[in-house]
Amino acid sequence: LNYIAAKDLSRFRKHLRQSADGTGGGVGGSSGSASRLKAYEERAKHEEAQNAEKMQRSDPRTVLYGDIIQLRHLRTKRFLRIRAKSHASLQQTSRRVDIHTGSSSSWIRVNPFFGHKAQGVPVMLNEQVLLESVKLGNHWGLNWARRQTMAREEVLEVNCALHGRGFYI
């Protein structure tokens, strides 16, 4: 899936807000910025339609080690996203993971947990895999943490940590 136009639109809107606040440089005339905003919105809408079409026609296929995937929440139809600049609530040294519309922060590489598996080999059912963030680079993998609150309730958190734990597929 592609998210370039959506990111460009977000950046342009941020630039417009900053220039309206007087904190950034001017973007030009209001008619010029309005036409540029409309063009960015059309590109983003077209890109979103292409992504939706790609999701509908995508057939189930075998996942190979080294493939880049996106994990989609079944109920909300949103993707798992790793926030590179936010720390997790339970483990301060880890990165926050949340559910969001798709972006490049939701790209995850499937790697073997054990060294005897090679890239390009199909992932089998009940195999332990490492799910690593593409954006953060090597060794930043999805992880889960278990803690007890002051009320003795057990809390589970999914985050992105250095040398994360393996998950079973």
Side-chain angles (χ1 to χ4, degrees), residues 8-75:
D8 289 344
L9 176 62
S10 174
R11 285 181 183 156
F12 188 72
R13 284 182 175 160
K14 182 179 179 181
H15 185 70
L16 284 177
R17 280 192 305 270
Q18 287 177 349
S19 64
D21 293 344
T23 57
V27 222
S30 62
S31 63
S33 58
S35 63
R36 286 177 57 193
L37 179 64
K38 186 174 181 177
Y40 279 124
E41 287 173 344
E42 287 176 6
R43 278 185 47 217
K45 192 179 290 187
H46 180 67
E47 181 179 79
E48 186 177 337
Q50 283 181 332
N51 287 344
E53 180 185 329
K54 193 173 187 179
M55 286 295 295
Q56 285 179 348
R57 67 180 156 88
S58 66
D59 295 325
R61 65 177 183 85
T62 303
V63 176
L64 306 175
Y65 286 116
D67 280 355
I68 296 174
I69 62 170
Q70 290 181 323
L71 298 177
R72 190 173 187 190
H73 190 258
L74 291 175
R75 201 169 0 152

Side-chain angles (χ1 to χ4, degrees), residues 98-137:
D98 60 5
I99 304 289
H100 196 263
T101 57
S103 69
S104 61
S105 298
S106 61
W107 294 341
I108 297 169
R109 181 176 287 113
V110 179
N111 284 328
F113 185 77
F114 298 106
H116 66 275
K117 297 285 184 176
Q119 300 289 338
V121 174
V123 177
M124 305 305 279
L125 191 62
N126 290 330
E127 278 189 334
Q128 196 169 5
V129 296
L130 288 174
L131 301 173
E132 292 184 346
S133 169
V134 173
K135 187 172 184 175
L136 292 176

